Each structure stands twice: as structure tokens, then as C-alpha cells.
Amino acid sequence: MANPGDFAYTLKQQADIVRIIGEYVRLKRAGAQNYSGLCPFHGEKTPSFSVHASRQFFHCFGCGESGDVYKFLQRIENISFPESVRLLAQKLGVPMPKVQFDSPAEAREAKLRGILVDLHEAACRFFQERLKRPEAAHAREYLKGRGLDEEALARFRIGYAPESGFLLRDAVREMADQELLRESGLFSQAARDSAPPRESSAAAASSAPKQPDREAQPSTLYSKFRNRVMFPICNEQGKVIAFTGRTLAADEKSGPKYLNSPETAIYHKSRVLYNLHLAKEAIRQLDYALLVEGQMDCISVYNAGCHNVIASSGTAFTEIQAKLLSRFSKKIVVNFDPDTAGAAAAERSLGLLIGEDFEIRVLTLDQGFDPDLYIRRKGADAYKQALAHSQKYFDYLIERARKQFPAHTSEGKVKAVNYLLPHIQRVASRIARDEIAAEVAQKLQIDSAVLRQELHHVAGARQTTRVSAPTATGLTEAEPILIRALAGGAGLGQQQAEVSTTSTFTRGATAVSSRQGDDPEFDPQRQVQFVLASERLHEGLASEGLIDALMRAVSEGTDPMSLELADGERRMMAAALMDEHELLTPESLHAALEALRRRKLEHRRRELRSLIADAERAQDSISLGELLREKTNIDKLLRPGQDALNP
Ligand SMILES: [Zn+2]
């Protein structure tokens, strides 16, 4: 991240985000300070991708991609942050300083990640080599039994982790110190009292020349994976970042059947799709991905000739994975067995993918067959044939509803509809929802009007966060004003400055200073911070979390524009900022705070009404008196024309 004083920060100030993004996306002016175009990160026909000129950030209201110029370059060029800094410097013709990382912490992180990737590569080679040795005969036997030939073993870099816990450690100990080996997730640590004798301490110290003093402790690390068949997990670039180990031991003591690497600096389970590195080109070409549950399934299906296959490893899809996948295709065929443990996760995944606008089909194999077994028993062609007959997601759901609830009784029909409605509700497009409703009505032989009515109700209650319009954020009128005030900096005097200049690429800093002379007392950021901190007027608002985060940033002196926010909040902030058509004035700010005060008083008045009723019932005259007094005061404050801000 770019911080004040950094080279990256200074460079970013010199860059014009509109011009940089304009090299990739055709942008049209959409407002005083913002531009819009078709999002390069998801397929769309109407523009929901916006760029704010003076605040120097972009936001897509369709897919939620958001950030500054570096974030844009990282995403579009698929590069790291340091690389994006280098690229921007190149584009602007600014020479790079010698040091490439902004902070020691970041340099350490980058170095750590580099070493961890090297360690995993070394481990992967080690496991592959061990699989060829005589003591791995049972592993080779197991793999042969699963139908994997030499070619498949090489392609998926499958290996064998030997029984001994120390061989891998000894093989890689030259590459990193003990701390890094621990952080790699490849090793476990023995308890302190069971540490090996002193002699190994001398060996450890002498083999870590970089930090000779730090490793006085005896080496107590041993391999986490022992006597297991090893499946490497790669990132999108094909670098090994984790492993799954399948045990070859029959006894219970050898741990779980499948053992996975823990999360590390390079491995985040929620961000990885198994086999994406091998599948991504085929996914792009065929314009759909085939999703299976387990790694073994994935390997089998790939070997059967379906190269667009990826695996979720039995956990529900995350939003990050959906976005990762959507760069290659927004169509997906899901192959899972609805009666397995992974089915619940798969169904949750489908819900998420539907919400992310994926087009989904479901492939259901004969009961009891997973893809791996199906291919081994019936052959690759049979599998491809089944794949060609995959069902549309809603046909699959309707069938499930029919099986669960007898559709010939009216009670069964109601239950079936209730089962389907939440699924329909997740569909982003209203038109698609209507079509599905009609289909459901027809297939379940329900009077369409009744179902449509129900659906209409559900559609109305649908959360607005998915709708692709910057204004549809469910915010009250006051909230964007507060968000803009708290975001501070550029944009306050912008709209006026814009009138007086013809340059499209007016930069924030100069424009603000030329206009802020109007009212030197007016500091909306500080004012809002003060009022909200003391009165908590934003409590219960949709933007409460965002406003709290902004207030923290203001009080800590960090840049509100570089806050780490949840998707919904980032969207809210972008909507508030992109829509800066009205100038932030002392009057508009006053009115916004006033509106919130009224809202709070009205809320309290409703509370008082029920408290008063309670007190009357309990014949508690003392409380009743107090409550009535408070209510009278509030009534007075809320009288039309009364200013709650200055009572
Ligand atoms: Zn987008």
C-alpha cells in the first residue's frame, strides 16, 4: 500500500488515474469528477465501472472491484504491488529508486513469501523424487489403483512423503531458518521436553549462516506429512503453495485420511481453486468451468479429457473464489452428489454463484458415483455424455422440490414454492427472476398468478446491494453527506473548481486550495467526527460500520481512501463519493446532522410510547411522570420548523 512519504505515494500523486485506466478502458465523463465505462473485470453491456478523477479511485458497481491506480494495474496486468509501482513509474517516465519496497515490513513479507514458495517447490520435488524409491512401492500401488499413470503423476506433480519426519527437514534446512520453516506449514514442532539431543543444535546453527545467533534452540521440527501420497496445491500461476496428503496407513493413529496444509503467508484456502492453473485456458476457451468436490475427482476428470475442471475441496465457495473464476468464465457446471457430506457446501456455493450472476448447470451422476468412480467404471466417454446432459440449475432445484414434496397436493405445492423462493430470490436480474417463476409455476402446475404474487413480494424484499446502480445502496439522504465529509481531502471544493477550469484532468490538491478560502472555519471532516463521536447519531444506519471505520481513520490520521473495507461498505463509500454532484456546504452538512437527530428522537419517541403504556399498566406514576416529561420535550423538538440542532 502507498503511504505518505513513500515513493509509491508520491508517484501516485503524479499519476492521473483517469488517463492510466483510459489506456485499458474507454471512459466517458459521467459527472463533474467521475467517468464511467465497461468494466474490464467482468462481462457487462451497460457501464457500471466508475473512476473518480480527484479522489483517484475506481469502483465497479457490478462486480465490486475497487481501489486506486495500483490496484487497477495489479488486477488488469495480474501483477504484484511492487510490480505495479514499477509499471506506473515506467508509464510516467519517472525513474525508480533503488529500494523497491515501501517499508521494512513489506520487504520482509515479500521475502518471506518468496522463501515459502521456494520451500514448497523444493518440498514438491522432494516428494516427487521419493515416490520413485523402493520404499514408496505401496504409494505407487495405491496411485495405480486409482488409475493414475506416469503422465498424470508428472502433470499433477504427485509425490510421496516418507515415514520419517526428518528427511524433508534435512533436505530443506539450508533454505531457511527455523522460524521460516515453522511458518511454512510443512512441519510440526515437537514439545520442548522431547527435544532431540544437543548435537543437532550445532548442526542447525551451522547450517543457518544468515542468523548464526538466533537458533541456539535444538531443532524440534519434523515433517507434518508422513507416509502419505502428496498432492500439491498451486496458485493461479502454477506455483506450489500448499499440499494435501492422503494417508497410506491403515491404523487410526496416523491422523486424518486427508491432511491439508494450514493457512500460511502464501496459502489462503478461501482464495485458491484447485487446478485453476491448469484449467484456466480451457475454461476461457470453452467458456465454462466444471466444478467437482475433491482433488482426486478433479484429477480423474482432467485425465478423462475435460481440461476445464477445478475442485473446491469440499468447502463452500467464497466470494473471492467466485471473482477469481469470473475472470475466465461466468458459466459453471457443478458436479456433485447431493447425498454426500460435501453437498451442503456445494449448495451454499451455488447460492453464492447465483448471486454473483453465474450461469449454473448441475451434473448429477447415478447415485453413489463420484466423478472419479464413474470414469473408472464407465469410462471417459460416458462421463462426457453425462456432462452434455447437465441440467439447468433451476430445473435441478425444481426436481429436488418435487422429490421432497408431493406436488399433486396443494400443501405440497406450497412447500415446494417455499423451498424454491429463497433460491429464486438470489438471482440478480429481475427479468430472469420472472422467467424462472413462470417456469416453476408451469412445472409444478401452480396457478402462475399466485406464485408471481408471492415472488413479487420476495423480489421486493430483495437486498438492493446487488443491483448495478450507484444510487441503490439503501442509504438515507444524510449518509452520503457524512461519508463524503469524513472521507475528507479532495472533492470538497472540487465541483466549484471544475466550473472554472476546462481541463479534464484537474488534480485535486491544487483545485481544493484555490477554493477553500470561502469559509476558513468550515472543516466538515472534523465537524462530523466530533458530532458523531459524541452523539452516535449514525447508530442503526446501514452505513454505521463504514462511518465507524472512517471515524477511526480520521482520528488515527490514516487516509480514509485506503481503508480496508468489506465489499458492501466499499460499495457504499464508492456510491457516496462517485455521486458528488452537490457541493458539501455548511448548510448541507447541518441539514444532514439535523435529519439524523430527528431520526434518533423519533426512535426514542416510539420507545417512550411503549414505555408509557407499560408504566400505565403497572400504575407506576413516578416513572410515568418522567416518561411523559421526556416525551413532551421530544414532541417540542420535533415540531415542524423546529431545529433540533439548535433547540
Ligand atoms: Zn466489474
Side-chain angles (χ1 to χ4, degrees), residues 325-372:
L325 186 57
S326 70
R327 280 167 42 209
F328 304 100
S329 176
K330 287 213 106 172
K331 291 180 193 151
I332 190 163
V333 176
V334 183
N335 181 184
F336 67 94
D337 182 346
D339 301 315
T340 62
E347 288 204 4
R348 276 201 304 282
S349 302
L350 295 178
L352 178 91
L353 291 168
I354 279 286
E356 296 283 323
D357 261 343
F358 272 78
E359 201 181 306
I360 303 175
R361 299 182 77 92
V362 178
L363 165 58
T364 348
L365 300 169
D366 306 349
Q367 203 164 20
F369 279 90
D370 59 29
D372 178 40

Side-chain angles (χ1 to χ4, degrees), residues 39 41-42 60 62-63:
C39 178
F41 305 119
H42 82 282
C60 174
C63 67

Side-chain angles (χ1 to χ4, degrees), residues 37-44 48-49 59-65 75:
L38 295 175
C39 178
F41 305 119
H42 82 282
E44 62 174 6
S48 44
F49 179 83
H59 185 93
C60 174
F61 291 95
C63 67
E65 271 303 329
R75 284 288 277 110

Side-chain angles (χ1 to χ4, degrees), residues 212-226:
D213 301 323
R214 275 183 57 196
E215 288 304 330
Q217 281 288 320
S219 165
T220 53
L221 296 179
Y222 61 96
S223 186
K224 187 170 287 209
F225 300 97
R226 297 178 310 281

